[in-house]
Amino acid sequence: MNKNVGTVCVHGKKQRRNVDNTGAVSFPIYQSATFVHPAFGESTGFDYSRLQNPTREELERVVNDLEEGVDALAFSTGMAAVTALLDILEPGDHIVATDDLYGGTIRLMESICKKNGIKTTFVETDKVENVEKAIEKNTKMIYIETPTNPMMKIADIEEISKIAKKNSCILVVDNTFLTPYFQKPLKLGADVVLHSATKYLAGHNDTLAGFLVTNSQEISEKLRFITKTIGACLSPFDSWLVLRGIKTLHIRMEQHQKNAKKIVEWLKTQKAVVSVYYPGLEENESIEVSKKQGTGFGGMVSFHVDTPERAKKILKDIKLIQFAESLGGVESLITYPMFQTHADVPLEERLARGINECLLRMSVGIEDVNDLIEDLDQAINK
């Protein structure tokens, strides 16, 4: 039976593994560090929770089904997932990466990776030719975010995948902002999809988690070995929280997007708002790419206001919307990238990318959109 994405969010594609005989509708939390062997040389399929746990396995099954890969691995955080992924590289290898990445990923590449002899070249990946030009003889990975964080630039996954294949590079796509509900990078030629599952997949601002999904059996085996060795796996309870969150992913993503579109149109009418960044704007140069490779534009919006003083006033005066880091939860959050998510990026680089004291990034929640607009109005204009 072919299942649509909403059904896959709730059930996965196939019947779940029978590890419980109670008939529990909600998959149980197997809060056990270790599992009994029936006899020498025999196993129930579970030995030790660092290797695998029934609750984490069920979550990985559903995420893998959503992204349509061959394997999905759940990690304790999004950055744990990024770290494990970059561990498949060797000293002397080279990465071509989006310049407008999440600041924590840039920090990792510019510190730990550099220390380990791995060089990264950051380019504007919304221009395919930049990726081609940045390829070196030792380039092993192309790492992109699309939409980017926080400037919402769009990279053409299909075209970049051609460059990756021609140069025998692994193409990684951070799909945190759009999720497999709106975008499926593996179907467009990516080799690995990355998620900070803390965000939309879990969806309730109550847990930390990360994911790697791949369509390569070879990459899967390397990542499974790394995960087993470094041990940054997702706990049973957090696996259950993310699993529960995914059951409403399709409903939440539609509401996030519906609200975001209305807020974007309202922001465009405000004199104090200088510019608005949202993947679904028809005037975007990359709108056709967005439409070609996805089925939606998501709930993330960035905007410049006219002065730093107004930006700080908004952060102080908002009442319903909350000034907090992170994104993708049911609650609307607003952040100050210059001093929060991208604080570790060198100042000149931040400013060159438009990340200045006038830029705010909003994760639009699922509240009534009229209440959100009323809150923005009083914070911006009064």
Side-chain angles (χ1 to χ4, degrees):
M1 174 182 178
N2 291 325
K3 296 178 181 177
N4 293 318
V5 65
T7 303
V8 177
C9 286
V10 178
H11 297 287
K13 287 187 175 179
K14 298 178 181 178
Q15 189 171 1
R16 73 191 196 190
R17 180 167 174 170
N18 184 21
V19 292
D20 173 75
N21 62 4
T22 66
V25 173
S26 175
F27 197 92
I29 303 169
Y30 285 85
Q31 194 65 49
S32 182
T34 191
F35 301 86
V36 173
H37 296 280
F40 177 73
E42 295 181 19
S43 172
T44 62
F46 301 97
D47 302 316
Y48 191 64
S49 277
R50 175 161 47 81
L51 308 179
Q52 191 51 288
N53 175 281
T55 315
R56 188 166 75 246
E57 181 185 72
E58 173 66 4
L59 171 61
E60 291 175 343
R61 176 184 75 89
V62 172
V63 172
N64 189 59
D65 285 349
L66 284 168
E67 286 287 9
E68 300 186 50
V70 301
D71 193 16
L73 296 87
F75 295 84
S76 55
T77 67
M79 288 311 301
V82 179
T83 301
L85 174 65
L86 297 180
D87 265 342
I88 69 177
L89 299 176
E90 301 286 343
D93 287 348
H94 175 243
I95 304 168
V96 175
T98 303
D99 64 344
D100 190 33
L101 284 178
Y102 165 59
T105 306
I106 295 174
R107 180 175 62 237
L108 175 65
M109 290 175 171
E110 288 289 80
S111 58
I112 308 300
C113 286
K114 186 176 285 186
K115 173 179 70 72
N116 291 338
I118 299 167
K119 175 189 168 187
T120 305
T121 299
F122 296 97
V123 300
E124 292 180 281
T125 51
D126 55 316
K127 299 177 178 64
V128 175
E129 61 272 20
N130 290 341
V131 179
E132 184 96 61
K133 291 176 185 175
I135 298 291
E136 299 179 7
K137 290 182 179 179
N138 58 336
T139 303
K140 301 297 184 200
M141 181 179 287
I142 300 173
Y143 188 114
I144 65 175
E145 272 184 14
T146 183
T148 62
N149 182 7
M151 302 307 294
M152 310 299 162
K153 295 179 182 179
I154 304 298
D156 191 323
I157 299 170
E158 204 164 16
E159 289 303 310
I160 293 174
S161 76
K162 294 175 184 177
I163 298 171
K165 287 176 173 57
K166 184 171 72 175
N167 292 278
S168 300
C169 297
I170 296 169
L171 175 58
V172 180
V173 178
D174 187 326
N175 200 27
T176 298
F177 276 17
L178 291 186
T179 82
Y181 182 70
F182 283 138
Q183 179 173 268
K184 293 181 183 287
L186 296 179
K187 305 296 286 184
L188 297 166
D191 301 294
V192 179
V193 171
L194 184 138
H195 287 278
S196 173
T198 307
K199 315 304 194 294
Y200 287 109
L201 293 185
H204 292 78
N205 290 318
D206 56 8
T207 189
L208 302 177
F211 266 97
L212 296 173
V213 190
T214 181
N215 55 12
S216 163
Q217 193 61 47
E218 180 184 358
I219 292 174
S220 166
E221 289 172 4
K222 289 179 180 179
L223 291 173
R224 286 282 170 192
F225 176 80
I226 290 167
T227 304
K228 176 177 72 173
T229 304
I230 66 174
C233 55
L234 192 61
S235 74
F237 182 66
D238 290 315
S239 295
W240 182 83
L241 284 173
V242 180
L243 189 61
R244 183 181 64 166
I246 288 174
K247 290 181 186 296
T248 58
L249 176 67
H250 54 302
I251 300 169
R252 289 185 286 104
M253 292 306 294
E254 288 288 354
Q255 191 62 43
H256 286 302
Q257 176 173 256
K258 182 180 177 182
N259 284 356
K261 286 180 175 179
K262 290 183 179 179
I263 287 172
V264 164
E265 290 307 313
W266 181 84
L267 286 169
K268 288 167 63 179
T269 68
Q270 302 305 299
K271 291 182 180 179
V273 177
V274 176
S275 49
V276 182
Y277 306 93
Y278 180 67
L281 287 170
E282 287 296 328
E283 57 265 34
N284 285 353
E285 292 181 4
S286 55
I287 186 65
E288 294 307 318
V289 176
S290 290
K291 291 178 178 178
K292 176 186 74 169
Q293 66 189 21
T295 57
F297 308 108
M300 296 301 300
V301 179
S302 293
F303 58 98
H304 278 111
V305 292
D306 51 0
T307 66
E309 290 72 28
R310 192 180 303 272
K312 291 167 186 173
K313 174 187 180 300
I314 292 168
L315 297 175
K316 179 178 180 294
D317 289 351
I318 49 171
K319 294 179 171 61
L320 176 63
I321 302 164
Q322 298 172 84
F323 175 26
E325 295 193 50
S326 199
L327 59 101
V330 294
E331 301 90 356
S332 292
L333 303 179
I334 195 164
T335 60
Y336 207 0
M338 179 76 168
F339 299 104
Q340 290 184 298
T341 57
H342 290 70
D344 288 335
V345 177
L347 179 61
E348 287 185 10
E349 294 179 26
R350 272 179 279 170
L351 296 176
R353 295 167 194 167
I355 304 171
N356 57 31
E357 292 187 57
C358 296
L359 181 73
L360 298 173
R361 188 197 73 187
M362 183 176 176
S363 172
V364 181
I366 65 170
E367 304 94 338
D368 187 287
V369 70
N370 294 315
D371 293 333
L372 294 174
I373 290 173
E374 182 180 336
D375 192 28
L376 285 169
D377 187 23
Q378 64 83 26
I380 292 173
N381 298 314
K382 296 178 183 176

